[in-house]
DNA sequence: GCAACGATTTGACTTATGTCATGAGCGGTG
DNA sequence: CACCGCTCATGACATAAGTCAAATCGTTGC
């Protein structure tokens, strides 16, 4: 892309204002434009990530409950969104927090994986703009349309766009109608190659899905409610990157999973920073499964969810999950 | 340190204002305090690094001259401060730019080395505040007082303070009166251990010094002007972390260097990101030596200096310096 | 128990910033 | 070359943010 002159001016304005601390009228004078234009340039600079304003998320890790969760479950860092006090609506708060945490966890040059679901969609939607050229955002699961939210490729693209990162999509359906076709497609060089790069990610972002009738997979038509029930009988309790996991967080050898094109769960577990975000209280059992399966090194949950996890973890006398042991 | 209640409120205010985009009066209402207090908290949040505002330094790398310098010399990235246009005083601009670049190059968890000199002092002085717990700032050279600027340990400490990082100092003088004493002191476990950790740094920040009568080392009394002349006759052309280097950027086996306690030049060259900042035009020869010696992977200079380097580099038919080859 | 101090809060004021309707510039097009 | 459609620039106004002296609060020392 050619370097537009306005971009140059925008950069200069941002530099003088934010890095040198000049006032807008001083910047205007120095650049020979009106102050109103400076204000416009500055907004654009913020919107394009040339200027980056970030807030430490320490507020949410600075909590005894977070320490306890980390100590008990082996999660590296936990962020806890309070529900009690006057604060904010936790449903609105969590995506903002998750987006900030996500940005905190990215390093220059990283490859990051993004999965899909209502939660991820909301996070993408409030993701701040940043200047992270050199970062690559890859799609963790195959595509599936959803009437009320982004498709997986759109999530990836949107996040990449906001970060000024490169987005790598993955043009295969999430679920196919036959196991044979899924198998063949997985074997296709283009697909196989992309799936194999997932283990090289430094960071992954996902939520865990439930298996109720109103779960995301059912709502999007990947499975009928009946089929989902049957999967539940076969041991499925949650969904990670479109795939069903059992109570221990292991891949379920069921019809749906065999028909599914998505990141191998082993590849996901191999990722250094596995960021799991859970909003809904109804996702308690899936969350437990994901934790046992080692799918979270960085966890964002509500206070009540954190308490329930602690309780259950202790009741069942579970020990820490180490990435190495899973 | 105990978590003060005001810190908690400051965090919340910063979070609501910067991450949620509420206005100050909305934040005030939500926290049950006055808007004036919110403004105060927000300033403190910026000053303590809880809120981080950074500007991309792309403006300064986005220049054909920078590309040419990188291609010719093998420097990974060059930032070039323009002198011509109306812009800013380059002497004031460069420390601000260098500080921004420095922050851009740091990653979470890094160990970074900081040397000493007028330039480094000025950079420390304009370093923005950031929340970089987990980062360690180490002192690259022994201590020496200076009437008009910080001591090495003060530079390290100041930068660490602003970054909320850990500062590791190094309590030995830069120069001793006898070679024997320097040798013995270098052998002391405390000192030796600290010097040995320098090669583990991910990033180092320094300038290059000259050997004129008004050079930093002479002004600070480490050497007399006469002694410096003699060192020049022995081949010294510049100073890196208090030590004299010759025209090829190699350690000079001279009285001063043997009496000096500082990071081993080999350790410095082993650091992945070697950030070299040169302000004064008079430092051309020292800069050439430092470049040949492989002391810069990331370079911040003025336009005129960049031009001179390009000219000389081509005239002498020099080739790229690779970190691996030095 | 009270004086004295520092830290924090606030209301009232000043200053800076955001916004928007309007107009200017500019390249393409019939 | 006149028209359109676009982006960008600007002045004037509305709004938000910064500042400061004075008041309040909480702690410490005597």
């Amino acid at each position: 892309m050619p370097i537009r002159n306005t971009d140059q001016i925008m950069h200069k304005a941002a530099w003088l204002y934010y890095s040198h601390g000049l006032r807008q009228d001083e910047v205007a004078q120095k650049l020979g434009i009106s102050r109103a234009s400076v204000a416009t340039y500055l907004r654009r600079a913020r919107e394009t990530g040339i200027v980056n304003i970030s807030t430490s998320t320490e507020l949410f890790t600075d909590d005894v409950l977070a320490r306890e969760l980390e100590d008990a479950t082996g999660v590296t860092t936990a962020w806890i969104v309070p529900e009690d006090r006057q604060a904010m609506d936790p449903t609105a708060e969590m995506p903002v927090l998750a987006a900030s945490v996500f940005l905190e966890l990215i390093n220059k040059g990283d490859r990051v994986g993004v999965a899909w679901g209502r939660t991820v969609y909301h996070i993408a939607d409030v993701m701040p703009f940043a200047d992270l050229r050199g970062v690559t955002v890859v799609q963790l699961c195959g595509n599936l349309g959803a009437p009320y939210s982004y498709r997986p490729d759109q999530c990836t693209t949107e996040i990449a766009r906001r970060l000024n990162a490169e987005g790598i999509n993955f043009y295969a359906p999430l679920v196919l109608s036959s196991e044979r076709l899924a198998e063949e497609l997985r074997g296709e060089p283009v697909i196989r190659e992309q799936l194999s790069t997932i283990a090289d990610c430094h960071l992954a972002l996902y939520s865990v899905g439930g298996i109720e009738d109103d779960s995301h997979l059912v709502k999007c038509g990947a499975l009928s409610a009946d089929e989902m029930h049957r999967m539940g009988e076969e041991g499925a309790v949650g969904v990670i990157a479109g795939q069903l996991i059992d109570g221990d967080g292991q891949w379920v050898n069921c019809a749906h999973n065999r028909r599914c094109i998505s990141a191998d769960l082993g590849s996901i577990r191999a990722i250094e920073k596995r960021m799991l975000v859970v909003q809904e209280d109804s996702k308690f059992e899936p969350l437990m499964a994901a934790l046992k399966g080692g799918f979270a090194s960085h966890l964002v949950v509500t206070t009540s969810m954190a308490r329930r996890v602690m309780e259950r973890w202790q009741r069942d006398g579970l020990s820490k999950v180490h990435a190495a042991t899973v």
Side-chain angles (χ1 to χ4, degrees), chain A:
Chain A
M1 48 185 164
I3 297 160
R4 285 188 302 157
N5 187 41
T6 60
D7 279 1
Q8 187 82 354
I9 296 180
M10 180 177 64
H11 262 96
K12 281 192 202 171
W15 180 255
L16 294 171
Y17 186 77
Y18 287 106
S19 292
H20 281 276
L22 301 193
R23 286 196 317 270
Q24 293 188 356
D25 53 356
E26 295 177 297
V27 175
Q29 196 191 340
K30 210 169 260 283
L31 299 181
I33 54 179
S34 73
R35 200 192 55 71
S37 299
V38 172
T40 310
Y41 281 127
L42 293 179
R43 184 169 40 68
R44 285 223 321 245
R46 287 188 299 267
E47 283 169 1
T48 50
I50 285 166
V51 170
N52 214 328
I53 302 183
S54 63
T55 315
S56 157
T57 60
E58 189 200 348
L59 182 57
F60 299 90
T61 54
D62 206 18
D63 186 328
V64 276
L65 190 52
R67 281 300 95 64
E68 287 171 4
L69 243 189
E70 292 157 11
D71 288 347
T73 64
V75 160
T76 308
T77 313
W79 285 263
I80 297 192
V81 178
E83 295 155 307
D84 39 3
R85 54 186 145 176
Q86 79 295 357
M88 296 227 94
D89 176 18
T91 321
E93 183 87 320
M94 191 168 284
V96 176
L97 172 60
S100 290
V101 169
F102 183 72
L103 278 182
E104 267 187 29
L105 293 177
I106 296 182
N107 280 323
K108 287 274 170 76
D110 276 1
R111 166 181 288 262
V112 302
V114 170
W116 171 66
R118 219 179 44 77
T119 305
V120 172
Y121 158 73
H122 283 302
I123 295 170
D125 218 42
V126 297
M127 186 67 68
F129 295 86
D131 178 36
L132 289 172
R133 265 161 300 189
V135 166
T136 306
V137 181
V138 307
Q139 187 178 332
L140 287 183
C141 60
N143 276 313
L144 182 60
Y148 54 91
S149 86
Y150 287 166
R151 295 190 310 266
D153 62 322
Q154 288 173 318
C155 281
T156 311
T157 306
E158 179 61 14
I159 291 179
R161 185 180 73 82
R162 299 205 184 200
L163 303 186
N164 281 287
E166 193 192 356
I168 293 193
N169 291 321
F170 183 126
Y171 292 112
L174 176 62
V175 228
L176 294 161
S177 55
S178 84
E179 295 181 19
R180 183 191 52 77
L181 188 54
E183 185 63 36
E184 280 177 23
L185 205 47
R186 264 187 231 111
E188 273 297 302
V190 193
I191 307 291
R192 196 173 48 197
E193 201 187 304
Q194 290 211 18
L195 287 175
S196 72
T197 65
I198 286 171
D200 299 332
C201 286
H202 303 85
L203 170 64
L205 170 67
Y206 43 82
S207 186
V208 60
I211 59 159
E212 316 82 42
D213 290 359
D214 65 344
S215 67
H216 202 236
L217 278 186
V218 172
K219 274 192 179 163
C220 295
L223 283 166
S224 70
D226 277 356
E227 286 173 312
M228 193 57 114
H229 283 162
R230 232 170 301 133
M231 300 301 167
E233 282 157 20
E234 291 186 44
V237 308
V239 180
I240 293 276
Q243 293 162 94
L244 295 165
I245 57 171
D246 67 18
D248 291 324
Q250 301 302 313
W251 192 77
V252 178
N253 191 357
C254 63
H256 171 262
N257 277 356
R258 289 191 302 262
R259 290 190 293 128
C260 202
I261 298 194
S262 185
D264 175 56
L265 294 186
S267 301
I268 294 182
R269 277 190 274 245
I271 295 171
E272 183 197 345
K273 299 177 208 158
R274 287 144 285 144
M275 183 176 157
L276 178 62
V277 183
V278 181
Q279 293 192 281
E280 300 91 339
D281 283 344
S282 63
K283 285 185 176 175
F284 175 62
E285 295 298 342
L287 169 58
M288 287 300 295
L291 287 174
K292 288 187 208 166
F295 288 109
S297 65
H298 299 263
L299 181 65
V300 181
V301 289
T302 58
T303 306
S304 65
M305 196 62 119
R307 290 226 181 82
R308 285 175 72 186
V309 170
M310 281 303 294
E311 231 168 76
R312 177 74 74 86
W313 206 273
Q314 281 162 357
R315 193 195 78 190
D316 292 357
L318 295 167
S319 61
K320 289 191 186 188
V321 176
H322 295 289
T325 68
V326 295

